[in-house]
Amino acid sequence: MPSNPQGTLEPNAKPYYEQPHNQKLDNIVGSKSLPIIGDTINFLKDAQGFEKKQWEDHQDMYKVNLFFRNIVGIIGPDANQLLLLDRANNFSSKMGWRDRLGLLFNNGLMLRDFADHKMHKQIMVKSFSPQAMKKYLTIMNQTVEESLKTWDGKSHLEFYSSFKSLTLNVAATAFVGIKMGPEADRLNRAFVDTVSASVSIIKLPIPGLTYKKGLDGRKFLVQYLSELLPEKRATVTDDMFSQFCHSKSKDGESFSDEDVINHMIFLLMAAHDTITSATTTLIYFLACNPEWQEKIRSEGLDLGADKIEYDDLEKLKILEACFDEALRLYPPVPMIPRRTVNDVEFKGRTIPAHTLVYVNTFNTHRMDQYWSRPNEFDPSRFLERQEHKQHPYLFAPFGGGAHMCIGKLFAYMEVKAFIHQFLQKYQVSLPEGYRLEQRIIPIPKPKGGLPIRLRKLK
């Protein structure tokens, strides 16, 4: 990894990833905050409202104090392009995410930078080739079918936790290559503990606390995957674990055993919580808008099959537009952090080197100068009106640039595989009087887990 992507280091200077976070942001305006705790309480109480006020008061750029650190927020499609495209290597993803994810998801793809990140992504991309994706889809379809059988006879369901179990089973089978059952349950439990720890406020390894459970969960995952690794190295199978073991870059580089395990643990997290969040949002809006539910169902019936094939994915344009609209309204990663490697200019102001900075995709996705009736669910904006094409970084639920989510197509495929089977089988609605109360940070999740009503169609 280059120690300074923009030039040579001054004598005796530390490389950027060993530099402390810059806290001197006198040149950037922000609202008055409380001593020590800063804006943290207001942010945790209502992240959506807090960020909206910063945007209204300060527009493109502002300073906040969150979790005992000064951080710069920037908003808008130009901000997204600056931070995510980053052709000059001015922003470190590793340093942006390290405090939250470093010990739990060490050296995952999102915690690598520049040439090191590029090399690892080139190896990994082989595991997301069309040939590999077709095999994952076969596994997905079977897992969705088996999971939906357990929903039979239920007229009411708490969707978030039920779908979370389904995605964990998909991850166990498609990623690791183990079948649903006690073994998958043990793996899933350790994984859930690890993910929960990544979003905990108190990050101390005290027995009984969430963070300690997460560290223990990671330890179990490392041991479990290490024991499976010789078998995966010896034989090529359809699961992603095996694919990682045998993938090579165009220059013949491959992953070490440690790399394989780190990437597996990270991708299990990335593919699980984000898909659960986005699909729950989509189900809520389809339950609120039965006309779109019916359009998706009719589109699926035109395929003439209970399960989709790989070549069917691009045919499900209405389903994709509805999913994009759910991602627009509640992006699974509403704030994307980085840390500056060098001084960076934005809108006539300077963000100093080594400063934590984030873009706010949630508010960018609701800017009324770009989106008509931005707070309404209207998938037509992704069909006839094509509102998202006004700026290349206006719609960024999967990030962008070199760090564009490598699992983007996998996510669309899993959601399409599930929704196709689900809506062929059920009509979904909400309990009378239900109102959505959505927690936004760290990942959108409805309070109460989204209770739904199911009516069996066949």
Side-chain angles (χ1 to χ4, degrees):
M1 181 189 301
S3 58
N4 183 350
Q6 288 298 93
T8 58
L9 290 171
E10 296 180 4
N12 303 317
K14 294 181 179 179
Y16 75 91
Y17 47 86
E18 292 181 8
Q19 295 280 359
H21 297 314
N22 170 58
Q23 294 293 285
K24 297 177 181 179
L25 297 172
D26 296 338
N27 64 315
I28 299 173
V29 297
S31 57
K32 292 183 178 179
S33 57
L34 296 172
I36 303 177
I37 61 173
D39 303 297
T40 304
I41 292 178
N42 289 333
F43 177 78
L44 291 175
K45 187 185 301 182
D46 179 14
Q48 179 181 351
F50 175 82
E51 285 292 315
K52 186 173 185 291
K53 180 166 175 45
Q54 304 310 309
W55 173 28
E56 291 171 345
D57 290 349
H58 309 298
Q59 296 303 308
D60 302 312
M61 183 190 299
Y62 50 85
K63 173 177 62 179
V64 295
N65 186 300
L66 298 176
F67 306 108
F68 315 110
R69 291 191 179 96
N70 286 328
I71 306 174
V72 174
I74 53 177
I75 291 182
D78 290 339
N80 288 346
Q81 186 164 9
L82 174 79
L83 184 141
L84 299 174
L85 183 58
D86 191 27
R87 286 177 175 158
N89 291 345
N90 282 322
F91 294 94
S92 168
S93 179
K94 173 180 179 176
M95 298 306 297
W97 289 103
R98 190 175 69 174
D99 290 347
R100 186 189 302 178
L101 302 180
L103 289 178
L104 297 162
F105 299 99
N106 184 42
N107 285 325
L109 194 61
M110 205 158 65
L111 283 95
R112 293 178 181 272
D113 284 329
F114 315 126
D116 176 61
H117 171 266
K118 182 178 179 180
M119 185 268 286
H120 278 257
K121 195 168 186 178
Q122 284 180 346
I123 301 172
M124 192 178 293
V125 76
K126 304 292 184 180
S127 302
F128 291 88
S129 67
Q131 183 180 6
M133 295 287 277
K134 290 176 183 178
K135 294 175 181 178
Y136 302 150
L137 180 57
T138 299
I139 296 170
M140 278 180 192
N141 278 330
Q142 182 179 354
T143 306
V144 169
E145 181 180 35
E146 292 174 1
S147 296
L148 285 179
K149 286 178 181 177
T150 67
W151 297 10
D152 284 348
K154 296 180 180 179
S155 59
H156 292 76
L157 194 73
E158 194 261 270
F159 184 82
Y160 188 92
S161 61
S162 299
F163 186 74
K164 188 171 187 176
S165 296
L166 188 154
T167 60
L168 285 169
N169 287 327
V170 169
T173 51
F175 282 34
V176 186
I178 60 177
K179 299 296 182 182
M180 295 166 60
E183 187 177 9
D185 291 342
R186 287 195 297 273
L187 183 73
N188 290 343
R189 182 67 261 162
F191 171 63
V192 168
D193 286 344
T194 307
V195 171
S196 297
S198 71
V199 297
S200 64
I201 303 300
I202 302 174
K203 295 189 181 301
L204 296 173
I206 299 173
L209 292 186
T210 299
Y211 194 67
K212 178 63 166 64
K213 290 179 182 178
L215 293 175
D216 291 342
R218 178 184 169 85
K219 183 177 179 181
F220 173 85
L221 290 171
V222 169
Q223 179 180 344
Y224 181 87
L225 295 173
S226 297
E227 291 172 357
L228 282 181
L229 197 137
E231 175 187 338
K232 298 295 182 180
R233 288 284 195 197
T235 308
V236 179
T237 53
D238 292 344
D239 56 272
M240 195 172 290
F241 193 1
S242 176
Q243 296 296 314
F244 279 8
C245 287
H246 298 276
S247 291
K248 294 185 178 181
S249 72
K250 60 184 179 182
D251 297 323
E253 296 162 310
S254 58
F255 288 141
S256 68
D257 289 355
E258 183 180 0
D259 290 336
V260 170
I261 291 169
N262 284 331
H263 286 314
M264 281 296 301
I265 293 173
F266 173 77
L267 279 177
L268 282 166
M269 178 273 289
H272 161 254
D273 260 20
T274 53
I275 292 176
T276 300
S277 171
T279 308
T280 301
T281 300
L282 175 58
I283 289 295
Y284 167 75
F285 283 113
L286 292 180
C288 292
N289 299 272
E291 69 279 10
W292 284 103
Q293 189 178 152
E294 188 54 42
K295 288 177 182 179
I296 293 175
R297 187 175 293 111
S298 296
E299 181 180 62
L301 285 171
D302 289 342
L303 298 180
D306 291 339
K307 303 181 187 69
I308 61 172
E309 301 290 339
Y310 186 78
D311 292 340
D312 294 329
L313 293 172
E314 63 180 17
K315 300 174 185 176
L316 300 174
K317 298 186 184 301
I318 296 174
L319 171 49
E320 184 165 320
C322 289
F323 184 45
D324 281 341
E325 181 68 338
L327 290 169
R328 182 188 70 83
L329 287 163
Y330 290 102
V333 185
M335 299 166 66
I336 303 175
R338 295 285 191 270
R339 201 181 83 171
T340 53
V341 176
N342 310 285
D343 290 355
V344 177
E345 296 293 322
F346 182 63
K347 303 286 186 179
R349 284 172 285 178
T350 300
I351 306 174
H354 315 302
T355 298
L356 288 167
V357 58
Y358 64 88
V359 288
N360 186 311
T361 55
F362 182 93
N363 281 336
T364 300
H365 286 178
R366 293 175 181 242
M367 286 181 158
D368 56 13
Q369 59 264 54
Y370 298 103
W371 308 98
S372 57
R373 301 182 303 280
N375 295 316
E376 294 182 14
F377 179 80
D378 182 8
S380 294
R381 72 179 80 249
F382 288 95
L383 294 168
E384 297 89 358
R385 301 203 301 278
Q386 297 284 290
E387 292 178 1
H388 61 299
K389 292 188 176 180
Q390 297 172 79
H391 188 291
Y393 282 81
L394 176 60
F395 180 61
F398 292 93
H403 279 275
M404 168 73 80
C405 176
I406 194 171
K408 176 181 176 180
L409 294 180
F410 186 96
Y412 276 96
M413 188 167 73
E414 183 170 353
V415 171
K416 288 178 179 180
F418 168 75
I419 293 292
H420 176 75
Q421 288 195 47
F422 177 72
L423 289 186
Q424 299 301 308
K425 194 170 186 177
Y426 295 109
Q427 174 81 31
V428 60
S429 60
L430 299 172
E432 188 173 350
Y434 176 80
R435 286 189 60 190
L436 177 69
E437 292 185 52
Q438 188 89 310
R439 183 196 74 185
I440 304 299
I441 299 295
I443 292 175
K445 177 183 178 181
K447 294 180 181 179
L450 186 62
I452 59 171
R453 295 176 5 184
L454 299 175
R455 182 171 69 84
K456 189 82 175 288
L457 297 176
K458 65 177 183 178

